[in-house]
Amino acid sequence: MLLPLRFRVLTELALNGPQDVTVILRALEPDYGRERQFKRAMLENHLRSLSAVGLVEDVNLSLDESGGLVRTVAITDAGRDLLKYLPKDWRARTASSPAAPVG
Amino acid sequence: MARVMKAEEMRAAVDLRHAKTGLGVGAIAGATYGLVGVVGGIALAWDPLASATGIVTAALVLAALQMAVGGVWVTLFNVVTGREREIFRTLRTKPGLVVMAGSLFGGVLAMVGFWIGLSMTTPAYALAISAMFPIVGSIFAGIFLKERILRRVWLGVALAVLGAIVVGWTPPEGEYPHFYLGLVLCGLATLGWGLEGVIAAFGMDMVDPAVAVNIRELTAGLVFILFVFPFVVLYGGDAYATLGRLFTVGVSTGAIWLILLCAGLQATTDLTWYRAMNTTGVARAMALNVTYAFWGILFGFLLSRVSQSVVFVFNGYLVVGAIFIVLGVILVIAHPRELVKLRNR
């Protein structure tokens, strides 16, 4: 079963460690790619909202070749704590995830 | 080094823009809710709502339609923006159920408490007590969400609430045998709206605000029609008959179009309110939301010029209340940079 996109973004960071929005887009594309909501701007907005409430945090900032901002974000302890609200099968996946620790 | 500094600057600009957007949508939420009140007031004066039997039947039927039809508007919005599958996905998760629970507090319990409380007291008391919901919401947000609320913001919330109370104040007259029970029910409305904000904000940590609103409105609309209306009928109200007459009498009087407009405005106000709570925090969003009292007066004044269904009476309370609201909002929205981190964690 697919998760709500925002929750899936948070879970993705728990499963695969710190990432930037381009990597997250690529990772979620097979599942959500055919939906009109699945746009870079939407994912950036979800990440921004997750960051404002302290569930993810920037761990690296850089500029890409065209001078655009690249934010690498990681899930925080508060974000990880919310994973207990995941459905059972997803909870099992995050529990066995080898993702790098925060920071 | 220069590239790192440039990246830092760009991040600060992006975060600030996000915070300012939240304040902007919060302001829109307050204004549109003011308009909901005025348009809803006109609808209540038109048949079939005007001829409904039972003290609060018309108000509860209107509330149910605002939620149910508003929910249909939000569903359309979500279909157009490609979020339709999110609705069912969210309903199958705990955050979705949390949002649903929030809607029972704010969308149903608070509305029922407000209207029955108002019928047992006076509009002055009902509006004054229910306008305090941002204070209740801010307290809960501080405790349960660890929301960062500065002293200046507290003062702003308090001033906005005080302004909303003063704007709606009219000296009460007459005798009310169930007056104190009415006050308790109005307090229930305050508690319900305050709790809804905090519960919804928690749910929106994990789900999209537009989807949360969709769930909120459809849940509340269904609960009204399936579980609240039977009690209205039990106490002599003709809730279902009024609903039915909307498609006959309501078409000829034009009330049905007003209801559609009112529900559209309700959808807009809820979409912007939820987004503001998610972006600027519960305390600020609620302070901006309570400005509906001011906007309601302004729209009431403007519409009284073009419609005989709207009566506008100017008095000193309006001016004093409006000043309090404006000062409160200025204190709340000052320094958007503080919104980059909303919680203490």
Side-chain angles (χ1 to χ4, degrees):
Chain A
M1 150 190 161
L2 289 185
L3 292 172
L5 186 55
R6 181 173 292 192
F7 210 4
R8 182 66 181 84
V9 169
L10 189 67
T11 310
E12 178 62 19
L13 294 171
L15 287 170
N16 294 315
Q19 299 170 53
D20 64 52
V21 71
T22 307
V23 179
I24 297 173
L25 258 174
R26 212 177 302 137
L28 304 189
E29 216 267 333
D31 287 338
Y32 298 85
R34 284 197 291 179
E35 296 174 17
R36 281 195 310 284
Q37 65 158 339
F38 193 70
K39 291 175 184 153
R40 187 184 183 88
M42 179 69 104
L43 285 196
E44 282 173 344
N45 185 50
H46 284 321
L47 284 171
R48 196 51 228 107
S49 293
L50 290 167
S51 169
V53 294
L55 304 181
V56 304
E57 63 186 359
D58 290 333
V59 287
N60 189 46
L61 292 179
S62 59
L63 297 177
D64 61 20
E65 286 168 6
S66 58
L69 177 65
V70 179
R71 300 168 81 150
T72 304
V73 292
I75 189 168
T76 62
D77 288 342
R80 215 171 272 282
D81 189 46
L82 290 188
L83 300 177
K84 64 188 174 207
Y85 299 112
L86 282 169
K88 222 179 198 172
D89 52 334
W90 280 98
R91 227 168 32 229
R93 270 195 249 180
T94 54
S96 59
S97 146
V102 176
Chain B
M1 188 65 187
R3 284 176 75 83
V4 173
M5 280 180 65
K6 171 99 170 120
E8 290 277 1
E9 279 171 24
M10 286 174 81
R11 173 174 67 171
V14 167
D15 289 352
L16 190 60
R17 197 162 55 236
H18 186 81
K20 284 183 175 172
T21 303
L23 293 174
V25 293
I28 294 170
T32 45
Y33 197 41
L35 201 49
V36 167
V38 176
V39 175
I42 299 173
L44 284 172
W46 290 13
D47 271 336
L49 293 179
S51 58
T53 57
I55 311 168
V56 292
T57 306
L60 292 182
V61 170
L62 178 64
L65 287 167
Q66 277 173 227
M67 290 294 139
V69 184
V72 175
W73 279 119
V74 180
T75 305
L76 286 175
F77 172 80
N78 281 331
V79 169
V80 170
T81 53
R83 293 172 166 106
E84 67 277 9
R85 293 185 195 180
E86 287 280 294
I87 301 165
F88 297 102
R89 272 175 207 151
T90 304
L91 280 171
R92 289 200 298 251
T93 62
K94 285 180 185 164
L97 298 178
V98 164
V99 169
M100 236 180 188
S103 84
L104 296 182
F105 281 108
V108 182
L109 192 72
M111 291 296 267
V112 172
F114 175 78
W115 284 110
I116 299 179
L118 188 146
S119 74
M120 290 177 171
T121 57
T122 68
Y125 285 111
L127 291 169
I129 293 170
S130 62
M132 290 182 203
F133 78 89
I135 293 180
V136 175
S138 301
I139 292 170
F140 286 144
I143 296 171
F144 297 114
L145 300 177
K146 310 275 179 253
E147 192 166 303
R148 197 181 287 171
I149 308 172
L150 302 176
R151 244 179 288 179
R152 194 196 68 249
V153 176
W154 271 116
L155 184 62
V157 172
L159 272 175
V161 166
L162 187 62
I165 293 169
V166 173
V167 159
W169 187 257
T170 44
E173 290 172 1
E175 282 187 24
Y176 296 89
H178 304 295
F179 184 76
Y180 291 105
L181 179 61
L183 290 186
V184 171
L185 289 171
C186 294
L188 203 65
T190 315
L191 194 67
W193 281 319
L195 271 174
E196 180 200 6
V198 178
I199 294 170
F202 172 71
M204 286 185 292
D205 282 357
M206 293 156 274
V207 304
D208 192 306
V211 178
V213 171
N214 210 152
I215 292 170
R216 183 232 192 202
E217 296 203 342
L218 290 179
T219 303
L222 277 176
V223 170
F224 262 113
I225 293 167
L226 298 179
F227 299 104
V228 177
F229 281 12
F231 285 97
V232 176
V233 172
L234 199 66
Y235 284 92
D238 59 346
Y240 289 113
T242 304
L243 200 58
R245 284 203 304 277
L246 192 68
F247 298 96
T248 52
V249 180
V251 174
S252 57
T253 61
I256 196 164
W257 308 117
L258 266 184
I259 300 280
L260 278 175
L261 173 65
C262 193
L265 290 167
Q266 181 74 44
T268 310
T269 196
D270 285 345
L271 280 170
T272 46
W273 183 39
Y274 268 44
R275 173 125 190 250
M277 282 199 292
N278 183 237
T279 318
T280 70
V282 173
R284 285 183 179 83
M286 285 190 170
L288 290 169
N289 193 260
V290 87
T291 61
Y292 72 82
F294 165 77
W295 292 109
I297 300 292
L298 183 68
F299 290 128
F301 167 72
L302 293 174
L303 285 173
S304 69
R305 305 272 139 173
V306 293
S307 168
Q308 289 182 333
S309 302
V310 183
V311 179
F312 179 80
V313 182
F314 184 83
N315 62 42
Y317 292 117
L318 302 183
V319 179
V320 176
I323 291 170
F324 280 144
I325 290 173
V326 171
L327 285 177
V329 167
I330 289 171
L331 288 175
V332 163
I333 66 174
H335 303 304
R337 257 175 228 288
E338 293 162 359
L339 304 179
V340 170
K341 290 284 170 218
L342 295 172
R343 303 198 189 149
N344 291 315
R345 55 189 184 193

